[in-house]
Amino acid sequence: MRITDMDFTRFKALTFDVYGTLIDWETGIWNALQPLLSLANREISRDEALETYGEIETRQEAETPSLHYRTLLATVHARLARHWGITAQADLHERFGTSVPDWPAFPDSREALAYLKQHFRLVVLSNVDNQSFAASNRKLGVSFDAVYTAEDIGSYKPDPGNFRFLFDRLKQDLGIQQDEVLHVAQSLFHDHAPAESIGLASVWIDRRFGVEGPGATKRPLAQPKVGGHFPTLAEFAAMHRAADKKH
C-alpha cells in the first residue's frame, strides 16, 4: 500500500530511527574519522571509509550486543585502524566514541518534526546510548514522547528483540498498539527488513534517492514493502499535510 492510499488516522505514533533519518550520520562519521585517516599511508575515499565502517560496526553490534554505544564506537574505530594498517593511540579511539554530539542534523529534520508532532506521538527507536541521543536531540528541537535506545534494550537493531521491546513499551507507556504505529527510517537492513518481517508499516526516508555514480544507494533487487519512499523527511511531512487537507 502506498502512503497516498493510507488512512493516516489509523496511526497514533511515528517511530523513528534517528541516525541516517534525522541526523546525518554519514557526514558525522566521515568528519570524526579525519584524525585517523590523516595517519593513513594512502588516500581512503569517503565511500570506502563509510562502507568499511558500516561493515565493521554491524559485526561489532552482533558480536557485543550489550556494549555501550560510545564504547562500541571506540572499538569499531580501533578495528578500522587495524584494518587500514594505521597505528593510533587509544585516546583517538576514545575521542571517536564521544563524537555523536557533533554529528549534524539534516536541515529539514527540525521543521518536519515540529509539524508531525502536531499530529502524532513521536517515538525514538535507535542504536545509540541515551547520553549521545540527548545531545543529538538538542539539534532536533522536539520533545519526543518516548525514547528507546540500545542502551535500554541491551541489543542493536536489526535484532527483532528491539522491536518487541518497542511494542511492549508503547502499549505500557502510551497505550498504543503495533497496528497504530508507522515506522520512519532510512536503513533497509536495520529497520525495514525487520519491520516487514513482523508486519510493521514503515516509510523509507532514502536520503540518497536519485544519487548517481559513486556513493549512490545500493538498491536491493526488490524494494521493501514500505508505506512510501521519500528523499527527505520534509517531503513525507508534505505528503501528510496534503492528505490531511483532503479530510
Side-chain angles (χ1 to χ4, degrees), residues 15-235:
T15 55
F16 288 90
D17 167 48
V18 174
Y19 299 91
T21 305
L22 306 177
I23 297 291
D24 185 354
W25 81 268
E26 290 192 355
T27 296
I29 290 290
W30 174 244
N31 290 343
L33 283 175
Q34 293 310 303
L36 180 66
L37 294 175
S38 70
L39 301 176
N41 58 11
R42 66 178 180 88
E43 183 176 350
I44 299 172
S45 71
R46 176 177 169 127
D47 290 332
E48 179 187 350
L50 292 176
E51 183 173 353
T52 305
Y53 169 85
E55 292 170 353
I56 292 178
E57 185 190 60
T58 296
R59 289 199 299 270
Q60 191 67 51
E61 288 173 345
E63 292 167 8
T64 55
S66 62
L67 194 63
H68 191 280
Y69 190 61
R70 280 176 291 169
T71 304
L72 185 138
L73 284 178
T75 304
V76 170
H77 193 264
R79 290 180 67 169
L80 279 169
R82 291 194 296 272
H83 176 82
W84 288 323
I86 301 172
T87 300
Q89 298 298 316
D91 65 334
L92 202 62
H93 308 317
E94 294 168 4
R95 194 186 320 163
F96 183 82
T98 61
S99 67
V100 176
D102 299 324
W103 300 358
F106 287 108
D108 66 312
S109 294
R110 192 181 187 100
E111 183 177 351
L113 286 170
Y115 167 77
L116 294 168
K117 176 72 172 176
Q118 300 172 44
H119 301 275
F120 303 96
R121 297 289 189 94
L122 303 185
V123 176
V124 165
L125 181 68
S126 182
N127 282 356
V128 74
D129 63 274
N130 293 317
Q131 185 177 349
S132 295
F133 172 73
S136 295
N137 195 28
R138 288 193 283 272
K139 295 182 171 68
L140 300 174
V142 68
S143 177
F144 286 92
D145 295 278
V147 175
Y148 308 124
T149 70
E151 181 180 2
D152 302 318
I153 301 167
S155 60
Y156 291 93
K157 296 178 293 181
D159 189 313
N162 291 58
F163 288 89
R164 289 194 297 269
F165 182 98
L166 170 70
F167 300 137
D168 288 346
R169 290 297 298 268
L170 283 179
K171 183 177 180 180
Q172 174 184 322
D173 298 345
L174 300 177
I176 293 174
Q177 307 294 327
Q178 176 179 337
D179 61 1
E180 297 173 319
V181 174
L182 183 61
H183 191 54
V184 184
Q186 180 273 332
S187 178
L188 300 174
F189 175 74
H190 291 95
D191 291 272
H192 291 294
E196 182 177 353
S197 71
I198 60 176
L200 173 63
S202 62
V203 168
W204 188 12
I205 306 301
D206 180 13
R207 295 284 183 175
R208 285 187 163 189
F209 180 79
V211 174
E212 301 293 341
T217 300
K218 293 183 177 179
R219 303 292 176 190
L221 294 177
Q223 289 187 13
K225 296 177 182 177
V226 295
H229 182 191
F230 301 91
T232 66
L233 187 66
E235 293 202 22

